[in-house]
Amino acid sequence: MLVEFIYTSTATAPLQWTELEVLRHECERRNQLEKITGMLLYDGKHFMQVLEGEEKKILALFNWIKADPRHKNVEAVINNPIDKRNFSDWSMGLITCDEKTQLQTVTELRGKRKKPLSYELLYAFAHHEIEIDDMLDAD
Ligand SMILES: Cc1cc2nc3c(=O)[nH]c(=O)nc-3n(C[C@H](O)[C@H](O)[C@H](O)COP(=O)(O)O)c2cc1C
């Protein structure tokens, strides 16, 4: 079954641009093999990621991702069946939300279609409309 799966998390430490590039390359490699597509947003502190693909593969990947020390407080937000992919061209698009031009990319993507839930969530995240509970960060 094809699903879209979305989670949010908090970066353990701020990631530099080069570290984000390394992360994106890791994502691309495995996701291409597993036919997983999606989008990863980073606002300097939090991640939100949309993963699309066969549910079994997504859940297996999510177990890997959850254990990654680069982030914590990893919380699944939605796991919805979908008819077709919204990010079929992206083995893993990366958007950093503090750059205006890239933020526009989300807006443009969203404008073209009839706004699937994943776009709504990405858009809200990019505009800091989603509160991610950092209470657990107190350590
Ligand atoms: C925020 C975040 C998102 C990630 N997304 C993916 C992803 O979509 N696909 C993937 O293969 N790895 C992703 N990873 C990385 C995995 O946790 C893991 O490090 C990566 O698959 C490398 O595995 P390898 O050591 O077997 O190469 C993500 C990690 C983080 C911190």
Side-chain angles (χ1 to χ4, degrees), residues 52-89:
E52 300 174 330
E54 273 302 310
E55 188 175 28
K56 265 193 204 158
K57 292 189 170 175
I58 298 289
L59 295 179
L61 173 62
F62 185 56
N63 275 332
W64 280 104
I65 291 177
K66 262 196 302 198
D68 195 306
R70 286 171 284 191
H71 62 174
K72 57 187 174 178
N73 304 348
V74 183
E75 299 268 4
V77 180
I78 61 166
N79 180 11
N80 273 346
I82 47 172
D83 295 332
K84 65 179 179 61
R85 294 168 191 257
N86 292 305
F87 299 98
S88 49
D89 298 339

